[in-house]
Short mmCIF file of all heavy atoms in Angstrom, two decimals:
data_model
loop_
_atom_site.label_atom_id
_atom_site.label_comp_id
_atom_site.label_asym_id
_atom_site.label_seq_id
_atom_site.Cartn_x
_atom_site.Cartn_y
_atom_site.Cartn_z
N TYR A 51 183.07 73.03 94.67
CA TYR A 51 183.82 74.15 94.12
C TYR A 51 184.15 75.11 95.24
O TYR A 51 183.63 75.00 96.35
CB TYR A 51 183.00 74.88 93.01
CG TYR A 51 181.65 75.36 93.44
CD1 TYR A 51 181.45 76.65 93.91
CD2 TYR A 51 180.54 74.50 93.37
CE1 TYR A 51 180.20 77.07 94.31
CE2 TYR A 51 179.30 74.93 93.79
CZ TYR A 51 179.12 76.21 94.25
OH TYR A 51 177.89 76.64 94.62
N GLN A 53 185.07 79.38 95.98
CA GLN A 53 185.06 80.73 95.40
C GLN A 53 185.83 81.69 96.31
O GLN A 53 185.93 81.46 97.51
CB GLN A 53 183.62 81.23 95.27
CG GLN A 53 182.75 80.33 94.39
CD GLN A 53 181.34 80.87 94.27
OE1 GLN A 53 181.11 81.85 93.63
NE2 GLN A 53 180.40 80.17 94.92
N TYR A 55 185.98 85.84 97.23
CA TYR A 55 185.27 87.13 97.15
C TYR A 55 186.14 88.21 97.79
O TYR A 55 186.93 87.95 98.69
CB TYR A 55 183.95 87.09 97.93
CG TYR A 55 182.86 86.21 97.32
CD1 TYR A 55 182.88 84.83 97.44
CD2 TYR A 55 181.80 86.78 96.63
CE1 TYR A 55 181.88 84.05 96.89
CE2 TYR A 55 180.79 86.01 96.08
CZ TYR A 55 180.85 84.64 96.21
OH TYR A 55 179.84 83.86 95.68
N GLN A 57 185.78 91.93 99.83
CA GLN A 57 184.84 92.77 100.53
C GLN A 57 185.54 94.05 101.03
O GLN A 57 186.52 93.96 101.75
CB GLN A 57 184.19 92.04 101.72
CG GLN A 57 183.09 92.85 102.40
CD GLN A 57 182.36 92.07 103.47
OE1 GLN A 57 182.89 91.10 104.03
NE2 GLN A 57 181.12 92.46 103.78
N GLY A 60 182.15 98.19 104.87
CA GLY A 60 180.79 98.71 104.74
C GLY A 60 180.06 98.29 103.47
O GLY A 60 178.98 98.84 103.19
N GLY A 62 179.02 94.92 100.54
CA GLY A 62 178.85 93.46 100.40
C GLY A 62 180.00 92.86 99.63
O GLY A 62 180.70 93.52 98.89
N PRO A 63 180.22 91.55 99.81
CA PRO A 63 181.29 90.86 99.08
C PRO A 63 181.04 90.88 97.57
O PRO A 63 179.90 90.88 97.12
CB PRO A 63 181.22 89.44 99.62
CG PRO A 63 180.56 89.55 100.96
CD PRO A 63 179.57 90.67 100.79
N PHE A 65 182.25 88.84 93.99
CA PHE A 65 182.85 87.64 93.47
C PHE A 65 184.11 87.93 92.65
O PHE A 65 184.14 88.88 91.85
CB PHE A 65 181.82 86.90 92.60
CG PHE A 65 182.41 85.78 91.80
CD1 PHE A 65 182.76 84.57 92.40
CD2 PHE A 65 182.64 85.91 90.43
CE1 PHE A 65 183.30 83.53 91.67
CE2 PHE A 65 183.19 84.88 89.69
CZ PHE A 65 183.51 83.69 90.32
N ARG A 70 186.73 74.71 90.46
CA ARG A 70 185.99 73.47 90.73
C ARG A 70 186.91 72.41 91.34
O ARG A 70 188.13 72.50 91.23
CB ARG A 70 185.37 72.93 89.42
CG ARG A 70 184.42 73.92 88.77
CD ARG A 70 184.01 73.44 87.40
NE ARG A 70 183.43 74.53 86.61
CZ ARG A 70 182.15 74.84 86.65
NH1 ARG A 70 181.33 74.14 87.41
NH2 ARG A 70 181.68 75.84 85.94
N ALA A 115 174.34 71.73 95.77
CA ALA A 115 173.01 72.22 96.14
C ALA A 115 172.90 73.73 96.00
O ALA A 115 171.83 74.29 96.20
CB ALA A 115 172.69 71.82 97.57
N LYS A 117 174.47 76.04 97.77
CA LYS A 117 174.66 76.80 99.01
C LYS A 117 176.15 76.87 99.31
O LYS A 117 176.89 75.92 99.05
CB LYS A 117 173.95 76.06 100.15
CG LYS A 117 173.65 76.92 101.36
CD LYS A 117 172.78 76.19 102.35
CE LYS A 117 173.48 75.04 102.98
NZ LYS A 117 173.11 74.83 104.40
N PHE A 120 181.00 80.34 104.08
CA PHE A 120 182.08 81.33 103.97
C PHE A 120 183.05 81.22 105.14
O PHE A 120 182.68 80.94 106.27
CB PHE A 120 181.49 82.75 103.96
CG PHE A 120 180.80 83.10 102.67
CD1 PHE A 120 179.54 82.67 102.41
CD2 PHE A 120 181.46 83.89 101.73
CE1 PHE A 120 178.91 82.98 101.22
CE2 PHE A 120 180.85 84.21 100.53
CZ PHE A 120 179.57 83.76 100.27
N ARG B 32 170.40 101.28 104.31
CA ARG B 32 171.80 101.04 104.62
C ARG B 32 172.01 101.01 106.14
O ARG B 32 172.82 100.24 106.64
CB ARG B 32 172.68 102.15 104.03
CG ARG B 32 172.80 102.13 102.52
CD ARG B 32 173.39 100.80 102.00
NE ARG B 32 174.66 100.43 102.63
CZ ARG B 32 175.84 100.84 102.20
NH1 ARG B 32 175.94 101.64 101.16
NH2 ARG B 32 176.93 100.44 102.80
N TYR B 58 172.16 86.68 105.05
CA TYR B 58 173.27 86.42 105.97
C TYR B 58 173.32 87.55 107.01
O TYR B 58 172.88 88.65 106.78
CB TYR B 58 174.60 86.45 105.24
CG TYR B 58 174.82 85.40 104.19
CD1 TYR B 58 174.43 85.61 102.86
CD2 TYR B 58 175.48 84.19 104.49
CE1 TYR B 58 174.65 84.65 101.88
CE2 TYR B 58 175.70 83.24 103.53
CZ TYR B 58 175.28 83.47 102.22
OH TYR B 58 175.53 82.54 101.25
N GLN B 60 176.60 89.30 109.34
CA GLN B 60 178.05 89.31 109.42
C GLN B 60 178.48 90.04 110.69
O GLN B 60 178.10 91.19 110.89
CB GLN B 60 178.67 89.99 108.20
CG GLN B 60 180.18 89.88 108.13
CD GLN B 60 180.73 90.42 106.83
OE1 GLN B 60 180.18 91.36 106.26
NE2 GLN B 60 181.80 89.81 106.33
N PHE B 71 167.54 80.80 103.32
CA PHE B 71 167.66 80.92 101.86
C PHE B 71 166.41 80.40 101.18
O PHE B 71 165.59 79.72 101.80
CB PHE B 71 168.92 80.25 101.35
CG PHE B 71 169.03 78.78 101.63
CD1 PHE B 71 168.77 77.85 100.63
CD2 PHE B 71 169.43 78.31 102.88
CE1 PHE B 71 168.88 76.50 100.89
CE2 PHE B 71 169.55 76.97 103.14
CZ PHE B 71 169.27 76.05 102.14
N TYR B 73 165.03 78.87 97.28
CA TYR B 73 165.31 78.39 95.94
C TYR B 73 164.19 78.72 94.95
O TYR B 73 164.33 78.48 93.75
CB TYR B 73 165.55 76.89 95.92
CG TYR B 73 166.89 76.47 96.50
CD1 TYR B 73 166.99 75.24 97.17
CD2 TYR B 73 168.00 77.27 96.42
CE1 TYR B 73 168.20 74.85 97.72
CE2 TYR B 73 169.21 76.88 96.96
CZ TYR B 73 169.31 75.67 97.61
OH TYR B 73 170.50 75.28 98.15
N HIS B 122 175.17 73.60 88.81
CA HIS B 122 175.88 73.04 89.96
C HIS B 122 176.81 74.01 90.64
O HIS B 122 177.33 73.75 91.71
CB HIS B 122 176.68 71.81 89.48
CG HIS B 122 175.80 70.69 89.07
ND1 HIS B 122 174.93 70.10 89.93
CD2 HIS B 122 175.63 70.06 87.88
CE1 HIS B 122 174.28 69.13 89.30
NE2 HIS B 122 174.66 69.09 88.06
N THR B 123 177.09 75.12 90.02
CA THR B 123 177.93 76.12 90.67
C THR B 123 177.18 77.45 90.68
O THR B 123 176.55 77.82 89.70
CB THR B 123 179.26 76.33 89.94
OG1 THR B 123 179.00 76.74 88.60
CG2 THR B 123 180.09 75.08 89.94
N ASP B 124 177.20 78.11 91.77
CA ASP B 124 176.41 79.31 91.90
C ASP B 124 177.20 80.44 92.53
O ASP B 124 177.51 80.38 93.72
CB ASP B 124 175.16 79.02 92.76
CG ASP B 124 173.91 79.05 91.93
OD1 ASP B 124 174.02 79.18 90.70
OD2 ASP B 124 172.82 78.96 92.51
N THR B 125 177.49 81.42 91.73
CA THR B 125 178.14 82.62 92.25
C THR B 125 177.08 83.51 92.87
O THR B 125 176.02 83.73 92.27
CB THR B 125 178.86 83.36 91.12
OG1 THR B 125 179.92 82.56 90.64
CG2 THR B 125 179.40 84.70 91.60
N GLN B 126 177.38 84.02 94.04
CA GLN B 126 176.40 84.85 94.72
C GLN B 126 176.72 86.33 94.52
O GLN B 126 177.87 86.75 94.53
CB GLN B 126 176.39 84.53 96.21
CG GLN B 126 175.89 83.10 96.46
CD GLN B 126 175.65 82.78 97.91
OE1 GLN B 126 175.44 83.65 98.75
NE2 GLN B 126 175.69 81.50 98.23
N PHE B 128 175.91 90.03 96.01
CA PHE B 128 175.49 90.61 97.29
C PHE B 128 174.97 92.03 97.14
O PHE B 128 175.41 92.79 96.29
CB PHE B 128 176.66 90.62 98.28
CG PHE B 128 176.97 89.26 98.83
CD1 PHE B 128 177.78 88.38 98.14
CD2 PHE B 128 176.47 88.88 100.07
CE1 PHE B 128 178.07 87.12 98.65
CE2 PHE B 128 176.77 87.62 100.60
CZ PHE B 128 177.55 86.74 99.89
N GLY B 129 174.04 92.36 98.02
CA GLY B 129 173.61 93.74 98.17
C GLY B 129 174.61 94.51 99.02
O GLY B 129 175.58 93.95 99.51
#
Side-chain angles (χ1 to χ4, degrees):
Chain A
Y51 56 94
Q53 301 181 71
Y55 290 78
Q57 186 174 24
F65 169 75
R70 301 171 196 273
K117 200 172 68 144
F120 287 79
Chain B
R32 289 302 306 273
Y58 296 88
Q60 187 173 33
F71 59 102
Y73 287 147
H122 293 299
T123 59
D124 250 6
T125 294
Q126 295 188 24
F128 285 83

